[in-house]
Amino acid sequence: MAKVSIDLNMKRVTNDNFVEKAKKLEPKLLEKQVKPIKIVSIGDDGKVEPRADIGELDRISLKKGDSLVLDFGDHQVGYVSLKLKSVGSPQDAPAYLRLKFGEVPKEIKENSEEYNGWISRGWIQEEYIHVDVLPAWLHLPRRYAFRFLEIYAVDTSVKFQVVVEEVVCRAVSAVDMENIEPFSASDPVLRQMDKVSLRTLQNCMQSVFEDGPKRDRRLWLGDLRLQALANYATFQENELVKRCMYLFAGLTREDGAIGACLFTEPEYLVDDTFMFDYSLLFLSALKEYYEATNDKETVEELWPSAYRQIELSRMCFDERNVVSEEAGDSCFVDWKEGLNKQASAQAIYIYVLKDAIAMANAFGQEKLAAKLEEERKRCVSAALDYFWDEKQGVFVSGEKRQISYASQVWMILAGVKAGEEARMLLDRIVELKPEMSMVTPYMNHHFVEALNLCGEKEKAIDYMKYYWGGMLLQGADTFWELYNPDNPQESPYGSSAVNSHCHAWSCTPSYLLRKLTNEE
């Protein structure tokens, strides 16, 4: 887990004007009725096999110990209702059912009693329900993220059985896939990648840009920035981005620090988690919003909140213009266990300074832009002096001079190395294959951006086919929170049972593909 800053005694400040503007931008969710398309069996290895035609559903009776699994054909986010009846003798006891929802087949086979991860068991989508009187419609109050639903009869009685006559999901999202022009490509892998990316983004677009509709169902800043980029290239639901930006700026710590994530229920509330990189990237997200919308009024209003993140982050630098290791520890960057993030933190600060300079120039603040440019040069010089290892030809991080993909990628995105030097650096790190590899789609997205920045468009597309295409080969119909090609079941939580298999930061192929093919 990332060593983020958690302030349990923080004082929160609310900008009521910003929050009220955000409330007025809340979308009315679109609804669609979705029914299962198949009855299937799932093996212990997660393999899905057809069991019966969906038209036979109301002819299958469940006695104690029986079960059936319904396949909805694609990843759904919504509210489920079941129409149930009894057959046999009159119902002489409650029907006792277990309902288990799975984004992927493996979740259906997981035994929740064996779960011992550090994140809450409450995220496992499993319900035990008594139904006293049949027939009945059972309307489940929770919202689920799933493709598969297992209905298991824990107990009935020897006299009657349960029949599932009908199952309906009221799927919800802020956007409709039918309004999007599919990505045009001769390569079927790229077309499928775009389709799955769009579905991932759609199912994460709810009343805010959620990080995952299964878990955590919150607004995380790092996810929002990547979702927004994908949205600008596809759905263009820009008012939802605007709503989220106002929420982040309107719910802060007392010193103006923007939190890593927000809660929207039961009230709007900033969490007590703060990340050096996420707070800074609010400014980059604001710049990208301006480039996409030309909404000068909103950007000018939110600019002081964005610039405040630079002022706060500046306190983490020493007299050499080198960021502290503690600031690196409070970065996300990637889930990779043991990753030293000091060099990445330095690079991300420089990256954001570049965006701040562009914003200051765009709004006629030439003196501020010049001041920030001088600071950027000092930080670049410090990065080269402190983090560049001339002998090895790579950036290193921390006291142990760790080599990682993340350090090289962020230094390239920040412009510390550029042009042919940057291209050669990427080639070198790929050849070195350091132990500190990349495991999240979030980090892999930035690797592809670095390839593109170096003019390596073909390598960028080939890498996307390797990484996101690898999830497609695993059967993904939405892209995952975490994917390590060398260990597809890897989890930062102690068990993949609580991994999110529809996750915001993995949606960017829809953006990257359009960017890579549209740019000259």
Side-chain angles (χ1 to χ4, degrees):
M1 181 184 179
K3 297 178 183 177
V4 300
S5 172
I6 299 177
D7 185 356
L8 299 177
N9 299 311
M10 63 173 282
K11 292 184 179 179
R12 296 176 171 90
V13 173
T14 300
N15 182 319
D16 292 328
N17 178 40
F18 286 1
V19 173
E20 283 304 311
K21 287 187 176 184
K23 288 179 178 178
K24 291 177 182 178
L25 292 166
E26 181 172 357
K28 180 177 174 56
L29 297 184
L30 306 175
E31 297 185 2
K32 184 178 181 180
Q33 297 290 319
V34 182
K35 295 184 178 182
I37 63 169
K38 288 184 287 187
I39 303 171
V40 299
S41 297
I42 299 176
D44 291 336
D45 59 356
K47 188 175 181 180
V48 180
E49 299 284 356
R51 172 181 165 184
D53 185 86
I54 195 64
E56 300 176 39
L57 179 62
D58 62 357
R59 296 195 289 275
I60 299 174
S61 58
L62 304 176
K63 63 179 184 302
K64 179 179 179 178
D66 290 343
S67 67
L68 62 86
V69 178
L70 302 176
D71 179 357
F72 280 72
D74 197 359
H75 188 278
Q76 308 296 330
V77 176
Y79 301 86
V80 174
S81 297
L82 300 91
K83 186 180 181 182
L84 307 173
K85 72 176 182 178
S86 66
V87 294
S89 298
Q91 182 186 3
D92 62 340
Y96 186 22
L97 306 176
R98 184 191 71 197
L99 307 176
K100 183 182 283 190
F101 296 83
E103 293 185 302
V104 295
K106 187 176 183 293
E107 287 182 75
I108 299 298
K109 304 305 293 185
E110 293 277 358
N111 183 350
S112 61
E113 296 301 317
E114 297 176 357
Y115 173 72
N116 60 359
W118 63 264
I119 204 168
S120 173
R121 184 194 301 270
W123 289 116
I124 297 175
Q125 300 181 116
E126 184 176 61
E127 312 289 354
Y128 286 85
I129 296 174
H130 292 81
V131 185
D132 292 318
V133 179
L134 294 170
W137 269 100
L138 179 61
H139 301 288
L140 302 178
R142 293 193 70 220
R143 195 194 75 189
Y144 299 95
F146 69 102
R147 173 173 172 172
F148 301 96
L149 166 60
E150 181 190 49
I151 305 164
Y152 172 74
V154 180
D155 210 346
T156 53
S157 79
V158 297
K159 299 185 68 175
F160 78 95
Q161 299 87 46
V162 174
V163 171
V164 182
E165 292 189 279
E166 188 177 352
V167 181
V168 179
C169 174
R170 178 167 56 89
V172 292
S173 173
V175 292
D176 190 341
M177 284 273 283
E178 294 181 5
N179 297 331
I180 300 301
E181 187 73 27
F183 179 69
S184 177
S186 58
D187 190 330
V189 175
L190 298 184
R191 293 199 302 271
Q192 181 66 9
M193 190 186 301
D194 180 58
K195 178 182 177 181
V196 172
S197 300
L198 288 170
R199 185 65 167 175
T200 304
L201 179 59
Q202 178 194 30
N203 283 356
C204 290
M205 291 176 70
Q206 301 293 329
S207 67
V208 293
F209 282 92
E210 294 182 355
D211 64 324
K214 169 189 168 183
R215 206 219 79 243
D216 301 325
R217 303 184 180 188
R218 274 182 275 164
L219 175 58
W220 282 83
L221 215 165
D223 297 80
L224 168 64
R225 178 172 166 258
L226 298 193
Q227 287 171 291
L229 290 172
N231 169 73
Y232 301 143
T234 56
F235 294 108
Q236 298 183 1
E237 188 63 33
N238 298 336
E239 293 290 274
L240 187 58
V241 182
K242 182 176 176 179
R243 164 174 158 80
C244 294
M245 298 293 285
Y246 269 117
L247 285 175
F248 272 116
L251 302 162
T252 65
R253 198 167 63 189
E254 187 178 28
D255 61 0
I258 288 176
C261 70
L262 305 175
F263 295 94
T264 57
E265 294 178 322
E267 61 181 324
Y268 294 116
L269 187 71
V270 60
D271 193 14
D272 50 23
T273 301
F274 293 82
M275 296 180 180
F276 179 89
D277 51 347
Y278 275 24
S279 295
L280 277 169
L281 288 169
F282 178 82
L283 191 150
S284 295
L286 187 63
K287 171 181 174 284
E288 289 152 359
Y289 171 79
Y290 180 61
E291 290 173 339
T293 66
N294 201 34
D295 181 359
K296 187 174 183 179
E297 180 181 353
T298 295
V299 174
E300 285 186 325
E301 191 167 35
L302 296 180
W303 168 250
S305 300
Y307 186 71
R308 179 60 180 155
Q309 309 317 302
I310 289 181
E311 294 176 330
L312 293 169
S313 299
R314 196 175 279 146
M315 301 176 191
C316 298
F317 287 77
D318 62 20
E319 67 281 356
R320 300 168 300 173
N321 295 297
V322 174
V323 73
S324 68
E325 283 212 58
E326 289 75 15
D329 287 343
S330 70
C331 285
F332 171 72
V333 181
D334 200 6
W335 271 123
K336 183 67 177 177
E337 187 69 28
L339 176 64
N340 186 286
K341 304 168 185 175
Q342 185 184 15
S344 295
Q346 179 95 9
I348 290 166
Y349 186 72
I350 297 168
Y351 179 91
V352 173
L353 282 178
K354 286 172 54 183
D355 285 345
I357 292 164
M359 291 287 286
N361 281 320
F363 289 99
Q365 300 179 21
E366 289 83 5
K367 288 184 179 180
L368 176 60
K371 177 183 173 183
L372 291 172
E373 176 59 24
E374 289 302 314
E375 182 179 8
R376 187 195 68 82
K377 289 178 179 177
R378 292 194 300 271
C379 290
V380 167
S381 178
L384 292 169
D385 289 343
Y386 190 80
F387 297 106
W388 179 250
D389 187 311
E390 186 67 38
K391 184 176 180 180
Q392 298 186 85
V394 295
F395 288 98
V396 295
S397 185
E399 289 186 6
K400 296 183 179 179
R401 300 176 66 78
Q402 182 189 89
I403 299 173
S404 69
Y405 274 89
S407 297
Q408 321 313 315
V409 166
W410 275 110
M411 287 293 182
I412 289 170
L413 293 176
V416 179
K417 289 286 184 180
E420 183 64 14
E421 283 189 311
R423 188 192 64 77
M424 291 173 63
L425 177 56
L426 280 182
D427 287 345
R428 193 172 303 117
I429 199 66
V430 170
E431 184 180 346
L432 284 173
K433 294 183 180 177
E435 180 185 351
M436 287 299 135
S437 57
M438 305 174 288
V439 295
T440 59
Y442 180 83
M443 187 63 235
N444 279 275
H445 163 88
H446 291 102
F447 178 68
V448 174
E449 289 273 41
L451 285 170
N452 182 46
L453 189 62
C454 294
E456 300 280 21
K457 297 183 188 298
E458 289 187 12
K459 286 185 179 179
I461 290 175
D462 286 345
Y463 187 81
M464 291 172 67
K465 291 170 71 173
Y466 160 73
Y467 187 74
W468 280 272
M471 283 186 263
L472 295 178
L473 291 175
Q474 295 283 330
D477 50 19
T478 50
F479 286 130
W480 306 344
E481 172 184 22
L482 178 127
Y483 175 62
N484 181 352
D486 297 326
N487 181 13
Q489 301 306 318
E490 185 172 337
S491 172
Y493 311 116
S495 170
S496 61
V498 291
N499 279 14
S500 168
H501 290 94
C502 174
H503 211 75
W505 64 30
S506 66
C507 73
T508 56
S510 56
Y511 157 74
L512 292 168
L513 288 171
R514 287 164 175 79
K515 181 178 182 180
L516 288 164
T517 55
N518 288 339
E519 289 182 351
E520 294 296 332

